[in-house]
């Protein structure tokens, strides 16, 4: 009886866990669809009728057309494909899949809304107001998709990558590590000024040697045994800092 009770309890917990995951997934993909719809609606209602240009990959493809023997559409397709591949590499399967779905949904909604809404003239005659409304709604739509680790594709993928890794820079140990590197570079740079007679040269040798030592790379562009004694002392200390950094 006890075994059966425990088994039922485990099954109950597993079922609750699975249900919770399903609810989260439904919420996430519902928000992706909502964000995609808002993004496409704003584009069709305010951006296209006023002949406004969106930035990101669309703008980049128009610029690159002047230098490459391809149409903007072909360039745009290649850029978006490369960014999707980058998403799978940098963001992982889950975030990349959500981004791919967001990109596809946005494209589909644009095609649907273009058939539903047809204007002989811009919906908002004033160009600046149209641009403001379009940008505001697109920003809201992007925010909704970013909230669930998705995007409409294009350069939004880069924003997702930055969002994913931005928390790393809040780590106190990493901040201390960078602070040590910068402080020691400056100290040794000024101590080398009498030797190399140039701030630029002193900075270059100092920065390279410190980064090489603290990362345990071991390369050298100068013989630091001939540097001032104080510089050698600091480099000696950095050997231990680099060795303890893992």
């Amino acid at each position: 009886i006890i075994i059966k009770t425990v088994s039922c309890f485990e099954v109950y917990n597993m079922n609750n866990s699975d249900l919770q995951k399903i609810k989260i997934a439904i919420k996430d993909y519902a928000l992706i669809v909502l964000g995609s719809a808002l993004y496409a609606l704003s584009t069709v209602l305010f951006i296209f009728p006023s002949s406004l240009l969106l930035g990101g990959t669309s703008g980049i493809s128009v610029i690159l057309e002047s230098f490459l023997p391809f149409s903007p559409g072909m360039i745009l397709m290649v850029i978006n494909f490369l960014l999707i591949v980058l998403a799978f590499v940098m963001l992982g399967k889950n975030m990349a899949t959500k981004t791919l779905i967001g990109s596809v949904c946005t494209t589909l909604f644009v095609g649907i809304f273009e058939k539903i809404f047809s204007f002989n003239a811009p919906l908002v005659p004033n160009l600046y107001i149209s641009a403001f409304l379009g940008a505001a709604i697109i920003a809201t739509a992007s925010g909704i998709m970013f909230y669930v680790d998705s995007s409409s594709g294009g350069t939004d993928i880069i924003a997702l990558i930055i969002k994913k890794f931005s928390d790393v820079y809040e780590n106190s140990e990493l901040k201390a590590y960078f602070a040590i590197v910068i402080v020691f570079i400056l100290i040794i740079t000024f101590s080398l000024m009498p030797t190399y007679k140039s701030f630029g040269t002193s900075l270059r040798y100092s920065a390279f040697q410190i980064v090489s030592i603290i990362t345990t790379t071991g390369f050298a562009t100068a013989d630091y045994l001939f540097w001032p004694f104080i510089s050698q002392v600091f480099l000696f200390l950095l050997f231990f800092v680099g060795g303890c950094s893992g």
Side-chain angles (χ1 to χ4, degrees):
I1 295 172
I2 294 174
I3 294 173
K4 287 184 178 180
T5 304
V6 172
S7 299
C8 291
F9 183 73
E10 289 177 350
V11 171
Y12 176 77
N13 282 340
M14 288 176 62
N15 288 338
N16 275 351
S17 177
D18 291 340
L19 285 174
Q20 189 66 24
K21 289 179 180 178
I22 292 172
K23 288 179 181 179
I24 293 172
I26 291 173
K27 182 200 73 173
D28 286 354
Y29 286 105
L31 288 175
I32 291 172
V33 172
L34 174 62
S36 300
L38 283 175
Y39 194 109
L41 187 63
S42 177
T43 302
V44 172
L45 293 182
F46 302 108
I47 304 300
F48 287 169
S50 299
S51 300
L52 296 170
L53 284 176
L54 291 171
T57 52
S58 300
I60 292 171
S61 63
V62 172
I63 294 172
L64 290 179
E65 182 194 13
S66 304
F67 306 97
L68 299 174
F70 302 106
S71 66
M74 180 63 70
I75 296 171
L76 181 62
M77 184 176 66
V78 171
I79 293 174
N80 283 332
F81 174 77
L82 293 175
L83 286 171
I84 289 293
V85 172
L86 181 65
F88 274 96
V89 173
M90 300 293 293
L91 300 177
K93 183 179 178 180
N94 185 46
M95 293 179 71
T97 301
K98 288 181 178 180
T99 294
L100 182 60
I101 292 172
S103 178
V104 171
C105 285
T106 302
T107 304
L108 290 175
F109 277 126
V110 167
I112 292 169
F113 290 146
E114 276 185 322
K115 292 181 178 180
I116 296 174
F117 303 103
S118 180
F119 304 101
N120 295 323
L123 181 65
V124 179
N126 188 294
L127 186 65
Y128 297 103
I129 296 177
S130 184
F132 173 79
L133 291 173
I137 297 174
I138 286 175
T140 302
S142 297
I144 291 172
M145 287 190 280
F146 286 160
Y147 177 72
V148 291
D149 295 329
S150 178
S151 76
S152 60
T155 50
D156 284 349
I157 293 172
I158 298 174
L160 272 179
I161 293 172
I162 294 172
K163 175 178 176 284
K164 179 179 179 180
F165 293 101
S166 61
D167 293 341
V168 173
Y169 298 101
E170 297 301 321
N171 185 281
S172 59
E173 292 182 5
L174 183 64
K175 289 180 179 179
Y177 184 85
F178 283 145
I180 290 170
V181 171
I182 294 170
V183 168
F184 274 82
I185 285 175
L186 292 175
I187 292 174
I188 294 181
T189 295
F190 286 109
S191 72
L192 292 178
M193 289 282 288
T195 304
Y196 293 108
K197 311 297 182 184
S198 166
F199 177 79
T201 303
S202 300
L203 177 63
R204 176 162 56 86
Y205 282 130
S206 171
F208 183 90
Q209 200 58 61
I210 287 173
V211 171
S212 177
I213 287 175
I214 205 167
T215 57
T216 67
T217 305
F219 293 122
T221 55
D223 191 345
Y224 52 82
L225 294 178
F226 292 99
W227 286 3
F229 178 73
I230 187 65
S231 299
Q232 295 183 44
V233 170
F234 285 134
L235 289 178
F236 181 73
L237 293 174
L238 286 173
F239 277 113
F240 292 96
V241 175
C244 293
S245 64

